[in-house]
Amino acid sequence: MGRRRPGTPTLEEVAARAGVGRGTVSRVVNNAAGVSDSTRRTVQQAIAELGYVPNLAARSLAGRRADAVALVMTEPDWRLFAEPFFSGIVSSLGDALADTGMQLLLTLVRSDAERRRFLEYARGGRVDGVLLMSVHADDPLPDMLAEARLPTVLLGRRSGDERVSYVDADNAGGARDAVAHLLATGRRAIATITGPLDMYVAQCRLRGYREALASARLAADDSWVAQGDFTEESGQRAMARLLERHPGIDGVLAASDTTAAGALRALRTAGRRVPQDVAVIGFDDFPLAERTEPRLSTVRQPLTEIGRVMVRLLVEELEEPAVAWRHVILRTELVLRDSA
Amino acid sequence: MGRRRPGTPTLEEVAARAGVGRGTVSRVVNNAAGVSDSTRRTVQQAIAELGYVPNLAARSLAGRRADAVALVMTEPDWRLFAEPFFSGIVSSLGDALADTGMQLLLTLVRSDAERRRFLEYARGGRVDGVLLMSVHADDPLPDMLAEARLPTVLLGRRSGDERVSYVDADNAGGARDAVAHLLATGRRAIATITGPLDMYVAQCRLRGYREALASARLAADDSWVAQGDFTEESGQRAMARLLERHPGIDGVLAASDTTAAGALRALRTAGRRVPQDVAVIGFDDFPLAERTEPRLSTVRQPLTEIGRVMVRLLVEELEEPAVAWRHVILRTELVLRDSA
DNA sequence: GTGAAAGCGCTAACAC
DNA sequence: GTGTTAGCGCTTTCAC
């Protein structure tokens, strides 16, 4: 396939027109010091006249940098991609990267073929680093990236002893706080709707739920636990199942605000009054809660902060490659509304 | 920032180890013909032993191609990014690009700064072509790309005389069909919830709605029209407004399935029976309808086909640059369910 | 402060 | 079939 784009002026042509050397033009383009104001202006004018745009492949080859980072979503189920959690993170990453001058590239990896292809892309030097989100416990991609010595930062661990750098929220602590609050308000029949249990984040929250119940000397057998997948629909179904098993439920910890919204729907369908009969607390999916369920209490994850920290860790790895793995666990905050 | 990744073997080293010339290695790597099976194997072994990975910047520089295309979302409101329409299209583009060997890169452009930055990225040759979706009528990006002679394909026109290549659905026709069906089943008080009216797609659907009413000699003054923004929430609010103005509504054409789901919610809250009292038809947002509102009738847009055609048009522009703008309008299909 | 020159790692055209 | 060579357009020393 012929993809050449002819007629694009080069550094050299700019230099010729400005009557200077290529090095000087390069310095001007990159805002480097060591160029007199007058020649800088001359060069800038030549650039403008010719409509010069640097060839990034050449820059990349000479400078050994891509000025881009990839955000990879290894989510075989595209529905999750539609959840507000993703857009919240993406948004915050975009903001955080704005200063660094790096392009944020989102890529979907839904199959082994796509995994291989992306790996080639990244190892080929088209990105300086990789951000990963929504990683399931058995996903090999982080290790593949680490092996290729590509600076990588995960959003969320795959397990308790994750080695790759990551940023995570204090999921167990958040769950504990939420359930402790429900207990403190006199609830005793407290269920939980989890995320996919092959994700560490879901395991942690379940653990937090159990720990809180245990310290109140309450049993927490599996009939009080229903698995969902973070979607609203799954929350609705899970809640319906829980209600069947335990009509007396008076409190619920949900995997996400989206899940919680589904649970609320099921509760109302079942004629239960929320929050009078049942209190529901979800994990923060970002502004969705504000929009559709303003009265929902949540364990707030600092999504904006997560994006900022991910970028910070990645930049650190770029500056000082592969000396260590960096881990940051962000505190969660319980935000109470009418429903609890 | 030092982003060099040292220790990466080069083509030359592979050639040395295999005892062949660089050209031969290049041919093997690119699966080109003209290499004997035995040397091909020798080279492949050397590649494996060294863990060689082609440097894509160098390939790009020498071969004048990026082997990547960008899908740009120029949506200042990230909430829309969470709608299933996006994930449906992205999914289908990913599939369609799988054969071409090109990487799909999603990029968000939410501000002028990001617009400029992306333009630099694309003009710098990091992508071979650009796909654009969710373009508002006043978005200058398509023209900027065209001016830079970058192969570009839009999903949806910006206006009736769009010049840049595009793929679109027959929105006016789809709306007409939907309203005609409502009329045929005896409905007479038919309202519509539109998308953002600064998008041509929304204008077309509104026009289709009006045309269908007009041919039935029915008035369609503005009090029957409420503007939304494709989200469920906006659908709910718009429906509530319409019900206030016209309690007797017996049919609704909604901007999307998502919007329609919101409308249904408002209708039920208002105590209206759906579909007995009111029939609702939305535009296809892909499987969302199947999930949460299986009984919703829709004007089905062939999302998978849209992705496929977008890629086809882009490839055509790559092969044979800038000879023409290509436009494809895909037919819609009215799929009826219980609610209509 | 500025210019010249040496690569960066690859593809593609051309010899053999 | 296979090796050799000339770039692709830039950054980055190193002289001046």
Side-chain angles (χ1 to χ4, degrees), chain A residues 5 102 117 123 265, chain B residues 5 102 117 123 128 265:
Chain A
R5 299 201 301 113
M102 296 193 272
R117 193 206 305 219
R123 298 223 297 160
R265 219 184 276 190
Chain B
R5 299 201 301 113
M102 296 194 271
R117 192 205 309 216
R123 298 222 298 159
D128 295 316
R265 219 185 276 191

Side-chain angles (χ1 to χ4, degrees), chain B residues 157 166-172 200 302 306 309 313 326-332:
Chain B
R157 289 162 275 191
Y166 65 80
V167 179
D168 207 349
D170 178 17
N171 290 300
Y200 189 67
I306 290 178
V309 176
L313 294 195
R326 297 154 228 261
H327 303 162
V328 174
I329 314 280
L330 292 167
R331 200 164 272 138
T332 61

Side-chain angles (χ1 to χ4, degrees), chain B residues 291-338:
Chain B
R291 293 188 297 137
T292 57
E293 300 292 351
R295 303 169 68 229
L296 191 65
S297 294
T298 64
V299 179
R300 186 169 288 282
Q301 307 176 68
L303 289 211
T304 305
E305 192 60 21
I306 290 178
R308 231 198 308 276
V309 176
M310 286 185 80
V311 170
R312 206 193 68 217
L313 294 195
L314 191 67
V315 168
E316 284 177 24
E317 305 230 338
L318 295 178
E319 319 264 59
E320 193 185 349
V323 299
W325 286 301
R326 297 154 228 261
H327 303 162
V328 174
I329 314 280
L330 292 167
R331 200 164 272 138
T332 61
E333 184 195 359
L334 186 56
V335 179
L336 299 178
R337 301 278 160 65
D338 300 3

Side-chain angles (χ1 to χ4, degrees), chain B:
Chain B
M1 312 189 203
R3 318 203 170 145
R4 45 215 75 216
R5 299 201 301 113
T8 315
T10 70
L11 234 200
E12 180 126 29
E13 301 179 62
V14 175
R17 174 159 200 132
V20 301
R22 309 204 320 229
T24 305
V25 178
S26 178
R27 277 165 218 142
V28 172
V29 169
N30 295 293
N31 277 317
V35 184
S36 75
D37 275 8
S38 66
T39 53
R40 186 180 293 271
R41 261 192 296 279
T42 316
V43 171
Q44 277 162 342
Q45 176 157 4
I47 289 177
E49 286 169 1
L50 264 47
Y52 168 73
V53 179
N55 177 317
L56 297 182
R59 173 178 289 173
S60 207
L61 182 56
R64 290 103 172 276
R65 67 220 323 307
D67 288 318
V69 318
L71 169 64
V72 181
M73 326 233 206
T74 56
E75 187 47 74
D77 186 351
W78 59 263
R79 292 181 310 171
L80 297 192
F81 172 55
E83 298 299 319
F85 179 71
F86 284 90
S87 30
I89 288 291
V90 168
S91 208
S92 108
L93 287 173
D95 293 342
L97 278 167
D99 328 311
T100 71
M102 296 194 271
Q103 251 290 344
L104 177 61
L105 305 171
L106 320 197
T107 60
L108 257 59
V109 172
R110 301 168 302 165
S111 65
D112 271 342
E114 292 186 344
R115 207 185 304 278
R116 263 195 307 279
R117 192 205 309 216
F118 172 74
L119 209 67
E120 236 170 74
Y121 187 82
R123 298 222 298 159
R126 305 294 296 242
V127 293
D128 295 316
V130 180
L131 304 169
L132 279 162
M133 70 187 289
S134 179
V135 181
H136 288 247
D138 60 348
D139 196 317
L141 190 54
D143 297 320
M144 295 165 115
L145 292 167
E147 199 179 347
R149 321 228 82 198
L150 274 158
T152 302
V153 177
L154 306 187
L155 167 44
R157 289 162 275 191
R158 284 171 300 167
S159 74
D161 68 334
E162 180 65 76
R163 291 169 320 280
V164 180
S165 291
Y166 65 80
V167 179
D168 207 349
D170 178 17
N171 290 300
R176 226 167 19 229
D177 291 349
V179 174
H181 169 77
L182 292 175
L183 289 166
T185 61
R187 322 270 175 180
R188 282 297 174 273
I190 302 170
T192 185
I193 303 172
T194 71
L197 286 171
D198 66 334
M199 293 180 73
Y200 189 67
V201 50
Q203 295 164 22
C204 286
R205 291 178 188 175
L206 178 56
R207 182 159 49 77
Y209 159 84
R210 289 213 162 105
E211 285 170 1
L213 288 185
S215 41
R217 303 184 186 290
L218 285 172
D221 75 79
D222 285 351
S223 68
W224 295 87
V225 177
Q227 195 178 160
D229 62 7
F230 292 127
T231 64
E232 184 163 349
E233 180 199 17
S234 79
Q236 190 165 359
R237 276 203 312 263
M239 191 69 244
R241 249 178 295 146
L242 288 171
L243 279 171
E244 244 170 63
R245 301 204 282 246
H246 301 289
I249 282 179
D250 59 11
V252 180
L253 175 67
S256 66
D257 280 8
T258 319
T259 310
L264 256 60
R265 219 185 276 191
L267 284 166
R268 287 179 178 141
T269 302
R272 303 297 299 274
R273 286 172 312 155
V274 180
Q276 292 86 339
D277 291 353
V278 186
V280 178
I281 299 184
F283 269 79
D284 184 20
D285 255 353
F286 221 29
L288 178 75
E290 319 270 325
R291 293 188 297 137
T292 57
E293 300 292 351
R295 303 169 68 229
L296 191 65
S297 294
T298 64
V299 179
R300 186 169 288 282
Q301 307 176 68
L303 289 211
T304 305
E305 192 60 21
I306 290 178
R308 231 198 308 276
V309 176
M310 286 185 80
V311 170
R312 206 193 68 217
L313 294 195
L314 191 67
V315 168
E316 284 177 24
E317 305 230 338
L318 295 178
E319 319 264 59
E320 193 185 349
V323 299
W325 286 301
R326 297 154 228 261
H327 303 162
V328 174
I329 314 280
L330 292 167
R331 200 164 272 138
T332 61
E333 184 195 359
L334 186 56
V335 179
L336 299 178
R337 301 278 160 65
D338 300 3
S339 87

Side-chain angles (χ1 to χ4, degrees), chain A residues 115-116 118-125 127-130 140-152 164 317 321-322 325, chain B residues 3-9 50-53:
Chain A
R115 206 184 305 279
R116 263 196 307 281
F118 173 74
L119 209 67
E120 235 171 74
Y121 188 82
R123 298 223 297 160
V127 294
D128 295 317
V130 179
L141 190 54
D143 297 321
M144 295 164 115
L145 292 167
E147 200 179 345
R149 321 228 84 200
L150 273 159
T152 302
V164 180
E317 306 232 336
W325 286 302
Chain B
R3 318 203 170 145
R4 45 215 75 216
R5 299 201 301 113
T8 315
L50 264 47
Y52 168 73
V53 179

